[in-house]
Amino acid sequence: MIWVTWRQHRAQLLVTAGFLALLGVLLLGSAVEASRYVTEHAPPGCPGPAVECGDLAVALGRRYDAVYSVFGWMPLVAPALIGAFWGAPLLGREYERGTHRLAWTQAVPVWRWLAVKLSTLGGAVVAGGLLLSLMVSLWRPVFREGVDSTFGNIGVFNMVGVEPAAWWLYAFALGTLAGTLFRRTLPAMALVVAGVTVTMFTLFQLSDHYAEPVRTELSGTVLLDNPDVRLVSAAWVEPSGREVAEPSSSGCPRRVDAGQSNRNAEAWQACLFGKGYRYAVYYHPPSRFWRFQWTEAGILALASAALGGLAVRRTLRRPG
């Protein structure tokens, strides 16, 4: 059965392997070249908070804009493609072409056929997701160490750790179930793309509740020292201790002039701090990175098991 699985799905396996290899070459090439660029142009003390370090980060962003664009779409596009081209055709194509009538009347029982297919391809999907995570984890520090966020940036968070493997497995299971529901490949693909998008947006909204946010009060600034935090909410704290979204009777004028909005905002904030206001920030610290990773991966793994179980049950109940 494993040999048959390879023969039937070698196109998806080879294309995905080729995609990962091409992406690896792209990331490796850009990382090596960028490392040389940083060595030649980085001022002393970088990476760090100095203005010169920020200028270097901007220069890198412009220099490798194409690579960043590919990377920016990857958290959503990669799982959607896995679900559409690995999961949806697994059963949808069998029903669509009628080949299931031949495959499921041989010596191999239907349940065994499903077990081998789902375990083999599911394992390959997880391995591919982990390989992608490894490549991204090795690539990003060359560009973003000390500058950008791994935990606070949800797109980056979904590309490192165990997240890619969990998302790829979820999309694969969703595509498999969609194939049994529609018994057609194209509608199943469309459902996968929509389902992955909705699920990603939903978990993004729920992720703030994976743990109780930390609260801190700032005075003199509205920015936290650590850029790698996941912000939940913020509010102004009046001298009386009451939290308000926007101070209304502070006596500090707030002007919005074209070309000077940042300067005016800073002056308004300085006025508020001078009158005894404080800025309360609710956030999740970077130390919760793995807690959030395993929480979300657990949710996706349970959802994958449920979707896969429904696909198997539906197939066994309606094999014809």
Side-chain angles (χ1 to χ4, degrees):
M1 274 301 299
I2 294 179
W3 172 249
V4 173
T5 301
W6 157 252
R7 290 293 301 270
Q8 287 186 315
H9 300 277
R10 59 186 173 184
Q12 294 101 310
L13 290 164
L14 292 176
V15 169
T16 303
F19 167 76
L20 290 174
L22 180 62
L23 182 62
V25 171
L26 174 65
L27 296 180
L28 177 62
S30 64
V32 171
E33 207 278 334
S35 181
R36 293 176 180 174
Y37 181 85
V38 170
T39 301
E40 295 173 0
H41 297 84
C46 293
V51 175
E52 293 80 4
C53 298
D55 294 338
L56 176 64
V58 172
L60 280 173
R62 293 174 179 171
R63 188 177 182 87
Y64 300 99
D65 182 67
V67 180
Y68 290 158
S69 297
V70 172
F71 178 80
W73 283 100
M74 199 65 63
L76 176 61
V77 172
L81 290 177
I82 289 296
F85 292 99
W86 282 58
L90 179 61
L91 293 171
R93 186 167 54 190
E94 296 281 354
Y95 285 122
E96 194 170 28
R97 296 179 177 178
T99 53
H100 66 289
R101 297 186 179 91
L102 175 63
W104 297 347
T105 55
Q106 304 302 308
V108 178
V110 178
W111 66 266
R112 184 181 174 187
W113 186 93
L114 286 171
V116 174
K117 289 263 190 173
L118 292 176
S119 59
T120 302
L121 296 179
V125 163
V126 171
L130 292 176
L131 179 58
L132 175 63
S133 170
L134 177 62
M135 292 192 299
V136 172
S137 297
L138 294 175
W139 171 76
R140 288 196 71 258
V142 177
F143 296 86
R144 297 301 194 184
E145 185 176 7
V147 178
D148 201 6
S149 170
T150 299
F151 179 58
N153 188 322
I154 192 67
V156 176
F157 181 81
N158 286 343
M159 290 287 287
V160 294
V162 295
E163 284 284 293
W167 276 108
W168 284 28
L169 182 62
Y170 170 78
F172 171 71
L174 178 61
T176 303
L177 177 61
T180 66
L181 293 175
F182 292 107
R183 299 198 170 197
R184 295 290 186 275
T185 304
L186 288 180
M189 288 180 172
L191 178 63
V192 169
V193 174
V196 169
T197 303
V198 171
T199 304
M200 191 165 290
F201 177 78
T202 302
L203 288 185
F204 172 70
Q205 299 296 319
L206 292 176
S207 62
D208 289 341
H209 304 286
Y210 292 166
E212 185 70 22
V214 175
R215 182 185 186 276
T216 187
E217 290 189 1
L218 304 176
S219 180
T221 180
V222 297
L223 300 176
L224 292 170
D225 294 335
N226 193 336
D228 195 17
V229 300
R230 184 171 296 191
L231 295 176
V232 177
S233 63
W236 286 97
V237 181
E238 294 180 337
S240 63
R242 185 171 66 99
E243 289 189 5
V244 294
E246 191 80 11
S248 57
S249 57
S250 62
C252 295
R254 188 173 190 180
R255 298 170 51 193
V256 180
D257 297 334
Q260 298 185 359
S261 58
N262 290 336
R263 183 177 301 178
N264 291 333
E266 291 174 359
W268 177 70
Q269 294 166 6
C271 177
L272 290 174
F273 288 128
K275 291 182 178 292
Y277 281 80
R278 300 177 305 280
Y279 196 68
V281 180
Y282 295 84
Y283 67 96
H284 295 291
S287 59
R288 295 178 178 176
F289 174 84
W290 283 110
R291 177 176 179 176
F292 276 52
Q293 280 270 323
W294 287 114
T295 299
E296 193 155 291
I299 294 173
L300 292 170
L302 288 175
S304 301
L307 294 173
L310 288 174
V312 170
R313 181 180 179 184
R314 184 177 177 83
T315 303
L316 293 179
R317 290 182 62 182
R318 297 180 59 188

